[in-house]
């Protein structure tokens, strides 16, 4: 029997049980077990919150890292193009693409390896929460503690971004940033749209090889086009394919049409995951009647939840905020925040 209750489970659920599942923990693991990749990512990623917001950081890998690698494989620009071979034209692009693919693959594989090291602390059961055994579960976690420690049948749990028991590197990890906006920021940072002045005060605009790869007739030269296409593929391949995931789970979301109560535990309402919330609501027979019980750790959590739910016409009186500690099976346990 499955009832009309849905639990949306985020990483805060594992953190509540003292599982070391934060991105900061991944950073420590990576530094210890694959320092070469850790050091490379630290070097090429220009995102301030690199390790506290790891998925978003994937959108901010420096283009110059890939472009320089591809450009270095091109023949001398002073050489006669008639002497170039087909390999000369495509080698730069192949090199840039290989580096981009390797970076994504290595990050995902190491991330998966790290997830497989996450274990339940000895006191896990002391921090267990009251859960409806017959409910449905939409889990954004890659771990299996719902099944192993709460006894929830796997048939009731949808690990929407994958689960650690899957093939290596298959977990869904990625950003939800606007690639065009990030490109424009990078373009301006290189000063291509800003006038420069030489020592005599004469104005000029910077027009180097990188500029020529993207602008003007030269961008269509096969050697340049091969490189830029390969480089730009990284930023799209590192996006989290949310719409594709929703489409492949269309029957699951349709099955939530009768849900009347939703518990949201440890879910951050981040930009990348908000489409799932919209899909749940749009799939429901009577979304304005759903009662939401949302765990909060701070006022910022409350604000993000309201900013997501209220524009979707969820009545404010239907949204109830409680810390997860209010659902403890052992309410006398002192939970440290």
């Amino acid at each position: 029997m499955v009832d009309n209750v849905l639990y949306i489970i985020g990483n805060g659920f594992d953190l509540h049980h003292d599982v070391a599942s934060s991105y900061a923990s991944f950073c420590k693991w990576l530094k210890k077990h694959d320092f070469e990749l850790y050091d490379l990512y630290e070097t090429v990623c220009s995102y301030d919150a690199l390790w506290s917001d790891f998925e978003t950081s994937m959108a901010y890998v420096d283009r110059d890292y890939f472009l320089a690698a591809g450009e270095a494989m091109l023949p001398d620009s002073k050489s006669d193009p008639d002497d170039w071979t087909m390999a000369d034209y495509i080698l730069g692009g192949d090199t840039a693409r290989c580096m981009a693919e390797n970076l994504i693959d290595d990050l995902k594989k190491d991330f998966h390896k790290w997830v497989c090291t996450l274990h339940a602390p000895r006191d896990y059961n002391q921090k267990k929460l009251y859960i409806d055994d017959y409910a449905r579960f939409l889990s954004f976690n890659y771990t299996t503690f719902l099944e192993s420690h709460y006894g929830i049948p796997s048939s009731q749990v949808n690990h929407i971004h994958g689960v650690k028991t899957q093939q290596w590197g298959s977990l869904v990890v990625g950003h939800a940033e606007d690639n065009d906006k990030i490109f424009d920021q990078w373009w301006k940072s290189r000063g291509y749209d800003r006038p420069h002045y030489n020592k005599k005060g004469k104005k000029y605009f910077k027009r180097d090889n990188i500029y020529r790869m993207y602008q003007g007739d030269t961008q269509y030269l096969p050697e340049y086009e091969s490189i830029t296409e390969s480089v730009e593929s990284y930023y799209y391949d590192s996006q989290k394919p949310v719409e594709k995931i929703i489409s492949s789970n269309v029957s699951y979301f349709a099955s939530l049409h009768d849900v009347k109560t939703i518990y949201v535990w440890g879910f951050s309402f981040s930009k990348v995951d908000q489409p799932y919330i919209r899909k749940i609501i749009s799939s429901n027979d009577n979304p304005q009647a759903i009662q939401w019980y949302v765990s909060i750790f701070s006022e910022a959590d409350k604000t993000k939840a309201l900013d997501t739910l209220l524009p979707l016409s969820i009545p404010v009186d239907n949204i109830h905020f409680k810390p997860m500690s209010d659902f403890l099976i052992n309410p006398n346990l002192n939970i440290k925040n």
Side-chain angles (χ1 to χ4, degrees):
M1 181 183 77
V2 176
D3 59 24
N4 55 17
V5 175
L6 172 69
Y7 287 82
I8 299 175
I9 303 295
N11 190 44
F13 177 82
D14 281 356
L15 292 173
H16 160 82
H17 293 87
D18 291 334
V19 177
S21 57
S22 68
Y23 288 140
S25 295
F26 173 54
C27 170
K28 292 179 181 178
W29 183 93
L30 188 64
K31 188 174 183 180
K32 179 179 180 180
H33 293 91
D34 193 346
F35 183 81
E36 184 177 353
L37 180 59
Y38 165 83
D39 188 52
L40 171 63
Y41 200 59
E42 282 263 321
T43 301
V44 302
C45 185
S46 57
Y47 188 54
D48 290 340
L50 167 57
W51 294 115
S52 60
D53 192 4
F54 169 66
E55 289 187 278
T56 299
S57 75
M58 295 176 75
Y60 292 91
V61 171
D62 192 351
R63 275 177 171 80
D64 296 286
Y65 164 65
F66 300 125
L67 290 168
E71 187 182 11
M73 303 307 295
L74 295 178
D76 189 334
S77 59
K78 297 180 181 178
S79 63
D80 188 346
D82 291 337
D83 295 331
W84 291 19
T85 66
M86 182 57 67
D88 291 327
Y89 283 107
I90 65 175
L91 185 57
D94 285 349
T95 300
R97 186 178 300 277
C98 183
M99 294 185 72
E101 290 177 350
N102 285 345
L103 182 61
I104 293 176
D105 289 345
D106 290 345
L107 285 171
K108 288 186 175 182
K109 286 178 181 177
D110 274 357
F111 186 84
H112 199 152
K113 291 177 184 177
W114 165 70
V115 168
C116 288
T117 69
L118 300 178
H119 61 276
R122 291 182 179 179
D123 64 349
Y124 188 97
N125 288 336
Q126 296 182 37
K127 297 186 178 181
K128 287 178 69 174
L129 310 172
Y130 283 108
I131 279 184
D132 179 350
D133 295 343
Y134 296 101
R136 284 163 276 189
F137 297 80
L138 179 62
S139 178
F140 289 81
N141 295 348
Y142 310 102
T143 54
T144 56
F145 298 121
L146 280 173
E147 296 91 331
S148 63
H149 283 66
Y150 277 86
I152 305 300
S154 59
S155 59
Q156 291 171 218
V157 183
N158 184 343
H159 289 277
I160 196 72
H161 289 158
V163 64
K164 69 176 187 178
T165 52
Q166 292 178 183
Q167 180 182 355
W168 283 119
S170 62
L171 300 181
V172 178
V173 184
H175 69 87
E177 300 300 285
D178 185 332
N179 284 325
D180 292 336
K181 182 178 179 181
I182 293 175
F183 178 89
D184 289 342
Q185 292 172 346
W186 169 76
W187 189 255
K188 291 178 180 178
S189 73
R190 294 190 63 89
Y192 294 134
D193 298 328
R194 187 175 68 250
H196 298 262
Y197 298 88
N198 62 21
K199 293 181 179 180
K200 295 182 179 180
K202 185 177 181 179
K203 183 171 71 172
Y204 69 95
F205 288 88
K206 184 179 178 182
R207 298 293 185 260
D208 58 11
N209 256 13
I210 300 300
Y211 177 88
R212 290 189 287 273
M213 286 184 184
Y214 284 97
Q215 293 289 336
D217 294 340
T218 51
Q219 69 177 302
Y220 300 111
L221 292 176
E223 65 273 23
Y224 284 175
E225 193 169 16
S226 176
I227 291 175
T228 54
E229 284 184 356
S230 298
V231 170
E232 295 311 308
S233 70
Y234 166 83
Y235 300 94
Y236 290 93
D237 290 345
S238 60
Q239 280 186 310
K240 184 175 284 185
V242 174
E243 294 305 321
K244 182 178 179 180
I245 294 171
I246 289 175
S247 296
S248 64
N249 283 270
V250 64
S251 60
Y252 172 77
F253 287 104
S255 74
L256 304 179
H257 70 94
D258 59 345
V259 165
K260 296 180 180 179
T261 304
I262 297 180
Y263 292 93
V264 185
W265 284 351
F267 179 77
S268 65
F269 288 94
S270 63
K271 178 173 62 177
V272 67
D273 294 327
Q274 287 177 10
Y276 299 110
I277 302 299
R278 292 195 290 270
K279 186 62 177 178
I280 291 170
I281 292 173
S282 66
S283 301
N284 195 265
D285 294 338
N286 189 8
Q288 280 70 44
I290 298 174
Q291 296 296 315
W292 295 75
Y293 295 88
V294 182
S295 71
I296 55 171
F297 186 76
S298 66
E299 281 300 308
D301 294 337
K302 183 176 181 179
T303 299
K304 288 175 70 175
L306 290 174
D307 287 347
T308 301
L309 296 175
L310 293 182
L312 298 174
S313 301
I314 301 301
V316 67
D317 291 341
N318 288 17
I319 307 171
H320 316 281
F321 295 100
K322 293 177 177 292
M324 271 187 285
S325 57
D326 281 6
F327 298 93
L328 281 169
I329 293 175
N330 180 4
N332 295 320
L333 184 68
N334 181 29
I335 298 293
K336 295 180 180 179
N337 291 326

